[in-house]
């Protein structure tokens, strides 16, 4: 033990003078601010995370948007177009035609990732036709199937017309039909056999034919980019930056709860065990060993089949398994405190043992308790995320482990979707680091520099 | 107390710990266990019925029904399903100690057996091969770095950084990233599995192939664990450095390295051994997911498959087996501790 004073304010002063500890504290404050932001996200966003339909207007498995800074020709973000002209005319009685025109300039060497049409009217149309005019004047006519009226739809919903256009130009139908292939038909020049993108002004006209007066309530075209947001999107188009943010509160909660319970229980059990000694110590050590021998991961997996654990229950189960580690440490600490001469002196003076425990043991155990509480948070977070990675997580919450599980399932590593693997995992590390730093700083202050 | 008495005492303690741990597992998994046993009985009855229908053509339907019912009742009695809970407990404990974990729902061992113990027996050696190799490597190198850091400021700084990494990186995630980088982007290492497909026939080539497939998981486990272990060694060593006998040795003018390796290391070795055993225990339990990422055909991958298939008997079996493996590890640790700690040998 160091010879410095025991007292809260002196610990705090030392802590604030410690660079490592201060750095940890600052990161923690930043994380708490983000937690506040995450908690203010409306609950329906959390609920829609596992619903793929909610993310259909987002580009699927695209890298982060900031890549466009490094590769301006290769990466671009989604462009939302508003109509430049909406006209309505009635060529005959009970026949109304609404024509919505969009115009945009395309100067990228790649076609848009996908094109999303959001057009809704008050009437149910008889017919809806799309005219896609390329810069060189070529016009592609696409008849929209009736089931797509008034519903946002993308290129895969209108693939038949586009495929016949592709085969009319290249002379063969493509083997793989995905949004990229379909989009290349809209953006690439027919002269180059649809391999080169045409740059210039595109005009898109949507004609809606109806028997009633048409009132267009919404008309937009999304030219989906091949990059999105800060962290890209996953296989379903879910933006990963949102997922990472939504995963923050529960990670912190489970880490804090686990560490609080397991460290307090462990230090009390271990401290008493080392303090009492003798047969009682042997008995407590035996109990500690029993819990130490339970393999955490399989045990939690097996138990989660009995009850579907909530977040709090999962934290308590993890704490139930991890307190022995702290008990072992606290016991050895207590043993070393016990060998000090002032403890022996108190015993000789006939001071009751509970008072000796509170005056000499607890004050010396509390700082180390704080240190291990901080160090215990990452352990809890890691175990909880590992469980989520195995597909065992409390229902209706977003976890980074769960996101990584999906990345594993959809073979993100094989497909080169590195952002899907790197960012959620890096968040586990980023959340763990401040606690580790704070724990190390407190440990160093209490045990003293060598 | 000699070493023999010490061992005998430890054997008793560890056996009682085993029983207590299995009891806790039993209490926590009681409801699913009943379900597992009921399904297992149904499976065995249906197998019995099939063989009966195939082999005995001279029986009429009532006789067949009767013998099937009789068989079901003997099975229910054998598993103690209709008995009081205390009897159920003893039957289950007896079965567990005999490594009888029941029949898997879906998973089969390569031999075709659906016995959970046979399935685990096939996968467990692979897990032990990977994790013991990894643990031995990181403990050896961790001890060396820990000792070096007790001497030099530079190594101390390095250790602090890698100890932070140790406490904050999930092994499976690092594995994930390394696979993406080193197996798919730059094709240096295989992406997963234990041998190349098809496995080489020649035993030497086979061993080489296993080593090649093991290298990336080994690197991953090493990176994550070496810092934490070195940090533990460093704090053990630096606390011993303050002891009187080290100061005396310094006063006698002995060279630093001699003090470090002869005096300090010898005193610290029992504690290092204990910490090493705890590290093995921790790494085995927590790194099972590493196998999932590397498709290493061990118990972890088996557990993952069992989770996706909802194959409860396998999950329960894995939990029991890992408890036993962990206890054996801790027990061996105590034995090593007994050998290294001079006080036990002398009989203090």
């Amino acid at each position: 033990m160091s010879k410095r004073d025991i007292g809260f304010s002196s610990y705090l002063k030392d802590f604030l003078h410690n660079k490592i500890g201060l750095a940890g504290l600052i990161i923690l404050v930043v994380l708490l601010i983000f937690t506040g932001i995450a908690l203010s996200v409306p609950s329906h966003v959390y609920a829609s995370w596992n619903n793929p339909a909610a993310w259909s207007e987002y580009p699927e498995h695209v890298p982060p948007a900031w890549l466009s800074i490094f590769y301006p020709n290769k990466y671009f973000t989604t462009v939302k177009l508003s109509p430049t002209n909406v006209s309505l005319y009635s060529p005959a009685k009970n026949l109304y035609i609404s024509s919505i025109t969009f115009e945009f300039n395309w100067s990228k060497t790649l076609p848009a990732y996908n094109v999303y049409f959001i057009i809704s009217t008050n009437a149910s149309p008889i017919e809806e036709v799309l005219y896609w005019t390329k810069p060189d004047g070529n016009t592609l006519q696409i008849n929209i199937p009736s089931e797509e009226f008034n519903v946002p739809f993308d290129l895969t919903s209108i693939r038949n017309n586009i495929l016949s256009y592709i085969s009319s130009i290249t002379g063969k139908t493509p083997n793989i039909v995905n949004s990229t292939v379909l989009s290349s038909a809209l953006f690439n020049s027919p002269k180059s056999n649809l391999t080169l993108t045409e740059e210039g002004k595109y005009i898109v006209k949507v004609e809606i034919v109806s028997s009633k007066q048409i009132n267009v309530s919404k008309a937009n075209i999304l030219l989906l980019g091949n990059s999105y947001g800060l962290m890209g999107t996953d296989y379903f188009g879910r933006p990963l930056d949102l997922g990472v943010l939504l995963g923050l509160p529960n990670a912190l909660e489970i880490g804090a709860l686990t560490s609080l319970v397991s460290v307090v229980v462990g230090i009390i059990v271990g401290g008493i065990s080392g303090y009492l000694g003798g047969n009682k110590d042997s008995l407590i050590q035996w109990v500690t060993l029993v819990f130490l021998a339970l393999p955490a991961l399989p045990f939690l997996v097996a138990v989660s089949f009995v009850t579907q654990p909530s977040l709090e229950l999962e934290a308590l189960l993890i704490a139930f398994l991890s307190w022995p580690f702290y008990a072992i440490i606290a016991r050895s600490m207590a043993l070393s405190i016990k060998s000090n001469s002032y403890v022996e002196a108190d015993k000789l003076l006939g001071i009751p043992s509970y008072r000796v425990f509170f005056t000499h043991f607890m004050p010396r155990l509390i700082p180390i308790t704080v240190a291990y509480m901080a160090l215990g948070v990452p352990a809890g977070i890691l175990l909880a995320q590992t469980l989520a990675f195995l597909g065992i997580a409390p229902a209706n919450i977003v976890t980074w482990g769960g996101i990584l599980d999906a990345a594993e399932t959809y073979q993100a590593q094989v497909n080169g979707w590195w952002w899907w693997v790197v960012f959620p995992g890096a968040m586990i590390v980023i959340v763990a680091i401040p606690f580790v730093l704070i724990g190390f700083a407190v440990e160093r202050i209490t045990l003293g520099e060598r | 107390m000699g070493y023999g008495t010490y061992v005998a005492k430890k054997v008793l303690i560890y056996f009682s710990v085993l029983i207590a741990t299995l009891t806790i597992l039993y209490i926590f998994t009681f409801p699913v266990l009943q379900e597992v046993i009921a399904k297992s009985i149904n499976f065995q009855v249906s197998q019995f019925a099939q063989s009966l229908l195939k082999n005995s053509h001279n029986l009429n339907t009532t006789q067949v029904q009767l013998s099937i019912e009789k068989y079901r009742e003997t099975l229910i009695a054998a598993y103690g399903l209709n008995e009081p809970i205390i009897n159920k407990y003893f039957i289950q404990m007896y079965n567990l100690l005999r490594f009888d974990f029941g029949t898997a729902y879906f998973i089969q061992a390569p031999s075709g057996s659906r016995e959970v113990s046979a399935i685990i027996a096939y996968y467990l050696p692979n897990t032990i091969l990977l994790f013991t190799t990894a643990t031995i490597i990181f403990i050896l190198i961790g001890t060396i770095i820990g000792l070096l850091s007790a001497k030099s400021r530079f190594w101390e700084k390095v250790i602090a950084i890698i100890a932070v990494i140790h406490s904050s990186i999930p092994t499976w995630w690092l594995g994930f990233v390394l696979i993406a980088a080193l197996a798919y982007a730059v094709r240096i290492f295989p992406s997963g599995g234990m041998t190349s497909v098809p496995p080489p026939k020649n035993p030497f080539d086979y061993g080489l192939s296993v080593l090649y497939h093991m290298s990336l998981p080994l690197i991953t486990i090493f990176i994550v664990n070496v810092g934490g272990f070195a940090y533990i060694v460093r704090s053990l060593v630096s606390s011993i450095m303050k002891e009187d006998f080290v100061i005396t040795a310094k006063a006698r003018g002995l060279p630093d390295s001699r003090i470090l390796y002869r005096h300090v290391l010898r005193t610290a070795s029992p504690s290092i051994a204990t910490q090493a055993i705890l590290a093995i225990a921790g790494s085995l339990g927590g790194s099972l997911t590493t196998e999932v990422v590397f498709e290493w055909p061990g118990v972890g991958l088996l557990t993952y498959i069992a989770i996706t298939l909802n194959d409860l008997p396998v999950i329960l079996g894995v939990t029991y087996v890992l408890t036993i493996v962990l206890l054996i590890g801790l027990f061996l640790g105590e034995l090593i501790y007994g050998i290294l700690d001079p006080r036990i040998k002398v009989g203090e």
Side-chain angles (χ1 to χ4, degrees):
Chain A
M1 296 293 301
S2 68
K3 287 190 185 63
R4 72 183 64 239
D5 308 329
I6 295 167
F8 180 70
S9 55
S10 105
Y11 280 125
L12 193 68
K13 220 170 85 186
D14 281 340
F15 181 78
L16 291 178
H17 277 112
N18 188 305
K19 269 185 238 154
I20 302 173
L22 206 59
L25 205 61
I26 291 168
I27 304 175
L28 186 60
V29 169
V30 173
L31 284 176
L32 287 176
I33 292 170
F34 276 107
T35 310
I37 297 171
L39 288 175
S40 66
V41 171
S43 60
H44 68 84
V45 180
Y46 283 87
S48 63
W49 181 259
N50 286 323
N51 171 23
W55 310 102
S56 56
E57 288 171 28
Y58 291 79
E60 286 148 15
H61 47 76
V62 294
W66 45 261
L67 280 177
S68 62
I69 300 169
F70 305 106
Y71 310 100
N73 288 329
K74 224 171 146 191
Y75 294 106
F76 49 91
T77 49
T78 302
V79 182
K80 188 176 183 178
L81 300 175
S82 298
T84 50
N85 183 28
V86 181
S87 61
L88 185 76
Y89 52 99
S90 177
K93 203 181 172 223
N94 281 343
L95 193 64
Y96 298 91
I97 297 175
S98 172
S99 144
I100 310 164
T101 317
F102 300 87
E103 279 174 26
F104 64 94
N105 270 311
W106 195 255
S107 56
K108 277 105 187 170
T109 51
L110 285 169
Y113 185 80
N114 195 346
V115 183
Y116 223 90
F117 301 91
I118 307 164
I119 290 155
S120 53
T121 60
N122 61 338
S124 53
I126 302 166
E127 200 183 28
E128 221 175 302
V129 187
L130 189 77
Y131 298 95
W132 183 281
T133 311
K134 295 186 189 181
D136 64 357
N138 257 312
T139 299
L140 182 64
Q141 183 186 334
I142 298 162
N143 298 316
I144 297 157
S146 58
E147 62 264 26
E148 307 295 342
F149 294 163
N150 286 329
V151 187
F153 61 93
D154 68 345
L155 292 182
T156 51
S157 316
I158 48 171
R159 65 161 74 103
N160 289 343
N161 283 81
I162 303 174
L163 285 178
S164 55
Y165 171 75
I166 293 174
S167 57
S168 74
I169 288 182
T170 60
K172 54 190 171 189
T173 35
N175 297 327
I176 307 161
V177 181
N178 56 25
S179 59
T180 327
V181 171
L182 297 172
S183 179
S184 69
L186 298 187
F187 283 88
N188 288 356
S189 154
K191 281 179 204 138
S192 69
N193 254 2
L194 299 180
T195 53
L196 288 176
T197 308
E198 281 189 57
E199 293 176 19
K201 192 174 171 191
Y202 285 73
I203 298 163
V204 184
K205 204 165 82 179
V206 182
E207 271 191 5
I208 305 168
V209 184
S210 176
S211 56
K212 277 189 259 172
Q213 183 84 29
I214 300 171
N215 197 352
V216 179
S217 54
K218 214 189 217 174
N220 284 113
I221 293 181
L222 295 180
L223 304 172
L224 295 197
N226 60 359
S227 65
Y228 184 87
L230 197 61
M231 297 177 184
T233 64
D234 71 3
Y235 188 82
F236 305 103
R238 299 183 292 199
L240 287 169
D241 39 11
L242 182 67
V244 161
L245 183 69
L246 296 185
L248 185 60
N250 62 59
L252 284 178
E253 186 184 343
I254 210 160
L257 204 59
T258 327
S259 145
L260 193 72
V261 176
S262 62
V263 173
V264 168
V265 172
I267 299 273
I268 288 176
V269 171
I272 289 175
S273 169
Y275 172 69
L276 291 175
N279 280 337
K280 287 169 194 157
D281 179 29
S282 310
L283 182 70
I284 297 175
Q285 268 194 287
W286 183 85
V287 175
T288 312
L289 191 58
V290 168
F291 283 90
L292 192 68
L294 285 171
L297 209 55
F299 178 81
L300 290 170
V301 170
V303 170
S304 70
F305 274 91
V306 183
T307 71
Q308 180 72 50
S310 65
L311 196 68
E312 287 76 18
L313 187 64
E314 191 180 284
L316 286 181
L317 280 172
I318 295 175
F320 178 76
L321 295 170
S322 44
W323 66 265
F325 292 99
Y326 306 107
I328 291 173
I329 297 161
R331 183 177 167 273
S332 68
M333 289 280 300
L335 284 178
S336 81
I337 296 168
K338 206 178 167 186
S339 65
N340 281 329
S341 49
Y342 47 78
V343 178
E344 309 234 333
D346 272 9
K347 272 196 177 161
L348 285 175
L349 286 170
I351 289 171
S353 53
Y354 74 89
R355 275 194 59 189
V356 179
F357 187 73
F358 282 113
T359 51
H360 291 316
F361 283 73
M362 285 322 272
R364 285 173 177 79
L365 283 177
I366 280 171
I368 203 74
T369 310
V370 176
Y372 281 105
M373 251 180 219
L375 288 174
V377 174
I381 294 175
L382 246 60
L383 198 50
Q385 301 299 339
T386 305
L387 277 172
F389 179 66
L390 287 174
I392 292 159
N396 294 328
I397 65 167
V398 183
T399 54
W400 303 323
I403 296 175
L404 287 165
D405 182 28
E408 158 92 30
T409 312
Y410 289 94
Q411 303 220 307
Q413 75 276 37
V414 181
N415 293 309
W417 303 329
W418 54 268
W419 54 93
W420 196 1
V421 178
V422 167
F423 295 117
M427 271 314 283
I428 302 178
V429 180
I430 290 170
V431 166
I433 278 177
F435 293 100
V436 178
L437 293 181
I438 291 171
F440 278 2
V442 177
E443 196 184 24
R444 203 167 260 209
I445 291 162
T446 42
L447 297 178
E449 295 272 4
R450 89 193 149 92
Chain B
M1 187 177 82
Y3 191 62
T5 345
Y6 174 82
V7 172
K9 208 175 134 193
K10 288 292 170 199
V11 169
L12 269 180
I13 290 176
Y14 274 84
F15 189 72
S16 64
V17 169
L18 175 65
I19 299 294
T21 314
L22 293 185
T23 308
I24 292 177
L25 287 176
Y26 183 76
I27 293 168
F28 267 91
T29 54
F30 180 75
V32 277
L33 208 59
Q34 299 308 305
E35 195 185 308
V36 166
I37 292 172
K39 277 200 184 170
S40 175
I41 288 176
N42 280 340
F43 174 72
Q44 287 182 44
V45 167
S46 72
Q47 279 202 326
F48 175 77
Q50 270 180 17
S51 69
L52 201 67
L53 291 172
K54 228 182 250 171
N55 300 329
S56 45
H57 302 286
N58 50 352
L59 293 175
N60 62 37
T61 1
T62 10
Q63 279 171 312
V64 169
Q65 276 308 322
L66 222 69
S67 53
I68 288 174
E69 272 315 302
K70 212 172 167 189
Y71 183 72
R72 182 189 293 277
E73 269 157 34
T74 45
L75 277 180
I76 287 176
Y79 283 103
L81 257 197
N82 48 2
E83 289 188 52
I85 187 161
I86 188 82
N87 290 15
K88 280 184 189 172
Y89 167 74
F90 281 115
I91 291 169
Q92 179 66 13
M93 282 300 126
Y94 176 67
N95 283 339
L96 290 184
L97 290 178
R98 287 188 309 138
F99 295 102
D100 180 359
F101 305 124
T103 332
Y105 295 165
F106 309 107
I107 299 173
Q108 279 189 352
S111 61
S113 164
R114 294 248 304 257
E115 287 295 307
V116 172
S117 48
I119 299 167
I120 295 175
Y122 175 77
Y123 287 102
L124 190 62
N126 297 343
T127 297
I128 291 177
L129 172 71
L130 178 62
F131 284 100
T132 5
T133 322
T135 316
I136 288 170
I137 294 174
F138 82 70
I139 281 174
L140 280 181
I141 298 180
T143 310
I144 294 169
I145 300 177
L147 286 173
L148 282 175
S149 76
K151 281 202 301 189
S152 88
R153 279 263 162 211
F154 168 74
W155 278 105
E156 206 190 329
K157 288 237 163 63
V158 172
I159 273 203
I161 293 165
I162 47 185
V164 172
I165 293 173
H166 162 76
S167 329
S168 54
I169 291 188
T171 320
W172 47 270
W173 177 65
L174 184 67
F176 217 157
V177 174
L178 287 183
I179 289 172
L182 296 179
Y184 287 106
V186 187
R187 292 166 190 273
I188 306 175
F189 290 109
S191 61
M194 193 169 155
T195 55
S196 40
V197 184
K201 293 252 165 28
N202 179 348
F204 179 75
D205 289 345
Y206 186 86
L208 220 58
S209 172
V210 170
L211 263 184
Y212 179 50
H213 282 76
M214 212 158 85
S215 46
L216 200 54
L218 282 183
I219 291 170
T220 313
I221 301 172
F222 177 78
I223 294 175
V224 170
N225 288 302
V226 72
F229 196 75
Y231 191 79
I232 290 168
V233 172
R234 191 202 76 99
S235 45
L236 281 173
V237 167
S238 63
S239 72
I240 292 169
M241 291 288 245
K242 287 183 213 145
E243 302 246 348
D244 292 344
F245 72 91
V246 179
I247 299 166
T248 320
K250 272 188 188 157
R252 274 166 61 202
L254 293 178
D256 271 1
S257 59
R258 195 186 150 93
I259 295 173
L260 195 62
Y261 293 113
R262 288 285 175 81
H263 295 73
V264 176
L265 188 57
R266 188 172 287 181
T267 323
S269 58
S271 315
I272 293 179
T274 323
Q275 292 296 339
I277 294 298
L278 280 178
I280 295 177
S283 79
L284 190 66
S287 306
L288 286 184
T289 18
T290 315
E291 287 182 359
V292 177
V293 171
F294 285 103
E295 288 164 40
W296 184 263
V299 180
L301 191 61
L302 175 67
T303 315
Y304 187 67
I305 296 168
I307 292 170
T308 49
L309 293 175
N310 269 5
D311 206 329
L312 275 169
V314 176
I315 294 170
L316 291 175
V318 167
T319 317
Y320 293 131
V321 167
L322 283 184
T323 309
I324 294 166
V325 169
L326 222 66
L327 269 172
I328 292 174
L330 291 169
F331 176 65
L332 289 178
E334 293 263 15
L335 294 189
I336 296 167
Y337 190 87
I339 294 168
L340 291 175
D341 194 343
R343 282 172 299 179
I344 290 166
K345 265 198 216 152
V346 177
E348 234 179 79

